Amino acid sequence: MSLVLDLCLALAVIGVAVWTLAVRGNFPAVIGFVAYGLLLALVWVRLGAVDVALTEAALGAGATGVILLFAVVRLRGGKAEIDAATPSGPQRIAAGLLCAVVGIGLAAAVVTLPEPAPSLAAEAARHLPALGVANPITGVLMAYRGLDTLLEAVVLVFAVLAIWTMAPDRRWGGVPGPVFPVQSSGPLSLLARVLPPIGIVVGIYVAWVGADAPGGKFQGGTILAAMGILAWVAGLWRLPPTSARGLRWAVVAGPLAFIGVGLLGFVIADGFLAYPPSLAKPLILLIEGAMTLSVAAALILMVAGPPEGGGRRAP
Amino acid sequence: MSLFLALFSGITIAVGVVFFIAGTVALLRFPDPLSRLHALTKADSLGLGLIVLGLLPWAGGWLAALKLILVWLLVLLAGATATQMIAERIRRSGPPQ
């Protein structure tokens, strides 16, 4: 039974992937991409990696899908420019061949893994009690491989900066993205009023349970960002200008807390990003809390895009 | 008692799946967007409700059961909203062909 289910899932993933590549038009391709992400999340669940499944559904399908949809809407009308920038047939074939070679290489590497596959899972699980976190994924991300996670956190800040630099000079420091009119009635208005109180609790809960169960800062932060975007699109909440100090602090709070705790490791433990066992849990919670805020702020700003309104006066 | 529960769950989940299949068939077969939306949302909302109802006895604790019900309510809310918004766009873009 489960083999049939897995086979159906595998075929559906491949089918949706092929459809997404083959379909004409940007909009259907984005819809295909989102469906592909959701199917991929189901695959991760079947593989027992619920943390990855949550991330894939929240970030891979949800947040990325919204960003792509905004991009499609903004690209409308610029057909000549898009055609000029679209790679030619031979270029596409070359790119496809390169992808096929890399894919076959990766598949060969996975298939030829020794049996049983080399694993540090037992070792990682053995040292988990010293950290005070029960979820092995969080243990690996925050303690054993904390440096990788720190770099991921910093990447978010650079992504926001890269988007902001797209703004023309006179818009610098202005309000990011389009300004939506307030929807005083209608289904979107209702949803934007009813859902955020529930969504904010769920987002904080998902970030909080990351210590003991699947969840964490990226998944919870994405849910919080979705609530902010919902209120923004319905016109109920105005995004602050990018010059607002609070907004900038929200984006860098997580990486700053992370780097701060990392440096603290030189004083209270034996090096950068080292936690003394007695303080591991509170320090990890501090970083996760600040990171949840930063992930939410960064994702909202990525969806909104570069400043389009306000900004400093032209000289 | 557990046999009764198993029977209850089996029947509710099976009926829920039938509703999902009916909704999908309607999506593929119905002629215009509004009737497709109409059929799909109702069938899927009811289907998911029946599946959640069938899973409740096996949730393992009232908290997990509450989460299942919350998931159903959230899907109802999101599904109904999305449907209304799509229908509004269809209505504004002109009369059905």
Side-chain angles (χ1 to χ4, degrees):
Chain A
M1 185 62 204
S2 66
L3 183 69
V4 175
L5 187 70
D6 288 343
L7 271 179
C8 288
L9 203 54
L11 284 177
V13 166
I14 295 171
V16 172
V18 170
W19 186 83
T20 305
L21 288 174
V23 73
R24 295 232 160 240
N26 296 330
F27 184 72
V30 174
I31 302 299
F33 173 81
V34 171
Y36 175 76
L38 292 176
L39 284 173
L40 216 53
L42 286 181
V43 171
W44 286 117
V45 171
R46 289 294 300 160
L47 289 170
V50 182
D51 291 82
V52 189
L54 272 174
T55 313
E56 177 61 42
L59 282 170
T64 315
V66 172
I67 292 175
L68 288 175
L69 273 182
F70 267 81
V72 166
V73 171
R74 281 162 195 233
L75 282 174
R76 277 187 188 152
K79 193 170 180 315
E81 283 168 65
I82 298 168
D83 285 347
T86 306
S88 63
Q91 275 175 317
R92 287 194 205 188
I93 291 170
L97 281 177
L98 183 66
C99 289
V101 169
V102 172
I104 290 168
L106 285 174
V110 170
V111 168
T112 54
L113 274 179
E115 198 66 45
S119 169
L120 290 171
E123 191 80 2
R126 197 141 47 89
H127 292 96
L128 218 48
L131 298 171
V133 287
N135 182 6
I137 308 290
T138 306
V140 170
L141 289 181
M142 294 304 295
Y144 304 142
R145 303 288 302 165
L147 190 60
D148 303 30
T149 314
L150 173 61
L151 293 177
E152 277 175 26
V154 175
V155 161
L156 279 179
V157 178
F158 281 115
V160 171
L161 284 180
I163 289 168
W164 284 1
T165 55
M166 304 277 196
D169 275 355
R170 66 197 163 82
R171 295 285 186 220
W172 184 253
V175 178
V179 174
F180 294 98
V182 184
Q183 305 223 352
S184 50
S185 64
L188 181 63
S189 167
L190 179 70
L191 189 70
R193 283 167 216 266
V194 172
L195 198 57
I198 306 166
I200 289 169
V201 173
V202 172
I204 293 173
Y205 171 76
V206 167
W208 167 256
V209 295
D212 302 311
K217 53 196 175 300
F218 281 100
Q219 297 91 328
T222 314
I223 296 173
L224 292 178
M227 295 305 120
I229 290 165
L230 186 60
W232 169 58
V233 171
L236 299 174
W237 177 50
R238 286 278 154 89
L239 289 185
T242 57
S243 57
R245 208 154 284 252
L247 183 79
R248 295 180 173 193
W249 276 114
V251 174
V252 296
L256 275 189
F258 214 147
I259 293 170
V261 170
L263 292 176
L264 200 64
F266 282 119
V267 184
I268 58 173
D270 43 1
F272 188 59
L273 277 177
Y275 315 118
S278 57
L279 283 177
K281 171 117 189 196
L283 286 178
I284 288 177
L285 277 181
L286 172 76
I287 299 173
E288 291 260 305
M291 277 304 300
T292 305
L293 175 71
S294 289
V295 167
L299 286 176
I300 291 173
L301 293 169
M302 279 181 214
V303 171
E308 289 180 16
R312 66 168 170 234
R313 299 260 175 273
Chain B
M1 190 61 199
S2 89
L3 180 72
F4 173 75
L5 276 184
L7 209 62
F8 166 79
S9 290
I11 292 171
T12 29
I13 292 174
V15 175
V17 169
V18 169
F19 272 102
F20 265 102
I21 293 173
T24 309
V25 170
L27 175 72
L28 296 173
R29 301 286 301 171
F30 277 11
D32 63 295
L34 285 178
S35 53
R36 280 198 290 267
L37 275 179
H38 176 79
L40 191 64
T41 338
K42 289 187 176 175
D44 281 5
S45 300
L46 190 58
L48 184 65
L50 284 168
I51 289 175
V52 165
L53 188 66
L55 291 176
L56 280 185
W58 316 94
W62 63 271
L63 198 63
L66 209 63
K67 282 185 196 169
L68 276 176
I69 295 174
L70 185 70
V71 166
W72 180 55
L73 290 177
L74 286 174
V75 170
L76 279 190
L77 185 67
T81 308
T83 313
Q84 291 284 331
M85 291 178 70
I86 296 171
E88 176 68 25
R89 280 305 288 256
I90 295 168
R91 199 175 66 87
R92 242 188 280 165
S93 67
Q97 301 83 6

